Amino acid sequence: MAVGVVLEFDGVTVAQYDRVMEMLGAAAGGPMPAGGLFGWVIATKNGIRVAEVWESVEAFRQFSAERFGPKAGEVGITVAPRISFRDIHC
């Protein structure tokens, strides 16, 4: 079952997020990484909010741990996001 994932990053910019995704071959407007269905990012007063739909929680966790997390540090993202999961009816 698909799952909605919302990540709140304090002190992170949309440009930093875009750079990480570009480094992973998933630039804005392009396809999502394996297991990802679609998503968007908005600037907030404290940083950014990422809202994505993944095939499963496991697919998201694997991408986050193995790919996104390691690259995030390379662009100065040093804070862990607040993450929430939502069941999706589609």
Side-chain angles (χ1 to χ4, degrees):
M1 171 188 264
V3 63
V5 183
V6 178
L7 302 99
E8 300 276 349
F9 287 90
D10 290 339
V12 174
T13 67
V14 170
Q16 285 174 300
Y17 177 84
D18 285 348
R19 180 67 185 125
V20 172
M21 296 307 285
E22 180 181 292
M23 293 165 67
L24 295 170
M32 288 282 288
L37 301 175
F38 62 90
W40 64 94
V41 181
I42 61 169
T44 66
K45 67 179 181 175
N46 297 322
I48 62 171
R49 177 177 302 125
V50 180
E52 299 175 332
V53 176
W54 285 81
E55 292 175 354
S56 66
V57 171
E58 295 78 20
F60 165 77
R61 288 185 195 272
Q62 182 176 2
F63 169 76
S64 182
E66 295 176 7
R67 301 194 61 219
F68 186 89
K71 293 293 183 193
E74 293 181 30
V75 301
I77 298 174
T78 59
V79 298
R82 292 179 305 284
I83 303 173
S84 59
F85 297 97
R86 303 280 192 264
D87 291 333
I88 292 181
H89 176 78
C90 28

